[in-house]
């Protein structure tokens, strides 16, 4: 997990609550994917469970429990242990939540507090979310929940109502540039600037832009949105740039990239064309929400992205016709 710059306001709010007489037991860490919420959650949880005068373990803490997507198969588990790339399960399961709840029946190991991080809470399967709700309704003494979410609207309203929301705004360009120089030193100035422009305030998206070599994808998406693609040639190039068998991380990054291309046009598009822009952005938001859990054909997904982007150019072509 990586912690990013730009967290001054969330830290102030968190530490003010931590110093207060009654710390809220449930927190939702909400913001764009890639803004460092998971890293914040881990550091905040360690502060929460630390006891004065008690040395804290430098790595995994027994009183900080993290629920996240597990390796997809036993083979992926072996790859993870070997430090190789591996695939994840689509959801955080009810079995994971119930195993966590069984641990809550015992006392914390090193002090009086225990922190539960769920990253991301967006990926809780329905039965897991319902099971979690029971713990949020009647939390054991000294137990605190930090739910990392990229799309807060996907959480159950009953979960949202029992938690305090900690917002993570987009990160400014200068801070992202500094992060990129540390995380991706091979990226030159031009590549960093392209990554920053495409990432729309998300350092994680900027890092993916460089690490996954998304420059060509971004250029083609921008060109399709500008010119359209009446003969499907640009969409063919987009599919080629995406690759025949892209992994899930690349697919998710491509959807986010397309959303940012659409969002970047909001301030320059004439008002009469904004409905088409809004509709395309909403469709991409739905696709982004479904992509982690649906088994999309990558080729069809790229064609759908291309179709949504080319729809933005059609009114302009008609207006000049």
């Amino acid at each position: 997990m990586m912690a990013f710059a730009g967290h001054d306001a969330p830290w102030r709010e968190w530490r003010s609550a931590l110093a207060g007489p009654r710390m809220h037991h449930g927190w939702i860490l909400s913001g764009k994917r890639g803004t460092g919420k998971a890293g914040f959650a881990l550091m905040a949880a360690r502060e929460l469970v630390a006891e004065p005068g008690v040395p804290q373990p430098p790595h995994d803490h027994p009183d900080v429990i993290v629920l996240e997507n597990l390796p997809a198969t036993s083979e992926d588990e072996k790859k993870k242990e070997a430090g190789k790339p591996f695939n994840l399960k689509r959801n955080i399961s009810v079995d994971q939540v119930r195993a966590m709840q069984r641990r809550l029946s015992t006392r914390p190991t090193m002090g009086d507090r225990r922190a539960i991080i769920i990253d991301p809470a967006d990926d809780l399967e329905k039965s897991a979310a319902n099971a979690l709700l029971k713990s949020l309704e009647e939390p054991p003494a000294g137990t605190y929940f930090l739910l990392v979410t990229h799309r807060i609207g996907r959480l159950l309203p009953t979960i949202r109502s029992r938690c305090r929301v900690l917002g993570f705004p987009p990160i400014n360009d200068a801070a992202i540039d500094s992060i990129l120089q540390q995380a991706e030193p091979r990226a030159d100035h031009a590549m960093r600037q392209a990554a920053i422009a495409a990432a729309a305030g998300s350092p994680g998206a900027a890092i993916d832009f460089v690490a996954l070599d998304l420059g060509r994808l971004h250029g083609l998406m921008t060109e399709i949105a500008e010119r359209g693609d009446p003969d499907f040639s640009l969409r063919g190039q987009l599919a080629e740039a995406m690759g025949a068998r892209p992994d899930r991380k690349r697919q998710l990054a491509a959807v986010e990239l397309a959303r940012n291309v659409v969002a970047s046009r909001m301030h320059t598009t004439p008002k009469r064309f904004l409905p088409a822009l809004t509709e395309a952005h909403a469709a991409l938001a739905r696709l982004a929400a479904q992509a982690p859990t649906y088994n999309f054909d990558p080729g069809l997904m790229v064609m759908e992205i291309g179709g949504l982007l080319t729809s933005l150019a059609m009114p302009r072509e008609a207006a000049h016709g």
Side-chain angles (χ1 to χ4, degrees), residues 26-314:
W27 293 77
I28 293 173
L29 280 57
S30 176
K32 289 189 65 171
R33 184 187 298 272
T35 49
K37 301 184 298 297
F40 180 100
L42 190 58
M43 289 189 289
R46 291 181 69 91
E47 283 193 4
L48 177 72
V49 301
E51 291 286 331
V54 179
Q56 300 297 300
H59 302 297
D60 292 345
H61 196 294
D63 294 326
V64 176
I65 302 171
V66 180
L67 274 64
E68 56 191 351
N69 303 69
L70 298 174
T73 64
S74 58
E75 187 63 31
D76 286 303
E77 182 66 45
K78 293 176 183 177
K79 290 179 180 178
K80 179 183 179 182
E81 292 173 357
K84 298 178 180 179
F86 61 96
N87 293 317
L88 295 171
K89 290 184 177 179
R90 302 177 192 278
N91 296 106
I92 295 172
S93 71
V94 66
D95 288 341
Q96 289 174 263
V97 173
R98 287 173 177 162
M100 173 270 291
Q101 289 171 328
R102 286 194 291 272
R103 290 186 63 178
L104 299 186
S105 64
T106 64
R107 288 186 55 80
T109 302
M110 299 184 67
D112 296 325
R113 289 177 169 181
R114 176 183 279 138
I116 314 298
I117 298 172
I118 302 183
D119 176 29
D122 312 50
D123 286 354
L124 286 165
E125 61 187 23
K126 186 175 181 180
S127 55
N130 287 326
L132 174 65
L133 180 59
K134 295 178 181 178
S135 293
L136 288 171
E137 288 172 338
E138 298 181 7
T143 299
Y144 300 84
F145 295 86
L146 293 87
L147 312 184
V148 176
T149 179
H150 312 311
R151 296 181 182 85
I152 192 171
R154 296 188 66 192
L155 297 182
L156 292 175
T158 44
I159 287 180
R160 297 200 302 268
S161 69
R162 285 165 174 77
C163 295
R164 180 170 169 178
V165 177
L166 197 59
F168 287 75
I171 308 300
N172 65 60
D173 291 355
I176 295 178
D177 191 38
S178 177
I179 292 165
L180 272 178
Q181 290 183 55
Q182 296 178 38
E184 294 291 342
R186 67 188 177 92
D188 59 19
H189 178 75
M191 182 179 288
R192 293 200 310 274
Q193 292 307 301
I196 290 167
S202 167
I207 291 171
D208 283 346
F209 185 96
V210 176
L212 300 177
D213 194 20
L214 300 179
R216 185 162 180 250
L217 274 177
H218 183 250
L220 286 165
M221 288 178 180
T222 302
E223 188 174 1
I224 292 170
E226 290 286 345
R227 293 174 43 204
D229 185 29
D231 61 359
F232 284 81
S233 62
L234 291 175
R235 273 170 278 189
Q237 293 178 51
L238 190 67
E240 180 183 345
M242 186 70 175
R245 299 181 65 183
D247 60 20
R248 191 168 303 279
K249 184 174 183 180
R250 187 170 180 82
Q251 293 179 49
L252 291 172
V255 178
E256 290 297 326
L257 201 61
R259 289 183 72 194
N260 290 343
V261 167
V262 174
S264 69
R265 301 168 66 82
M266 290 287 187
H267 300 298
T268 59
T269 297
K271 288 184 178 180
R272 65 184 182 279
F273 298 141
L274 283 177
L277 198 70
T278 303
E279 184 177 342
H281 191 270
L284 286 166
R286 288 192 296 272
L287 186 61
Q290 294 167 349
T293 55
Y294 284 41
N295 190 23
F296 286 118
D297 177 274
L300 293 177
M301 187 178 77
V302 170
M303 287 296 111
E304 182 172 356
I305 290 172
L308 291 168
L309 292 173
T310 199
S311 71
L312 306 183
M314 288 179 183

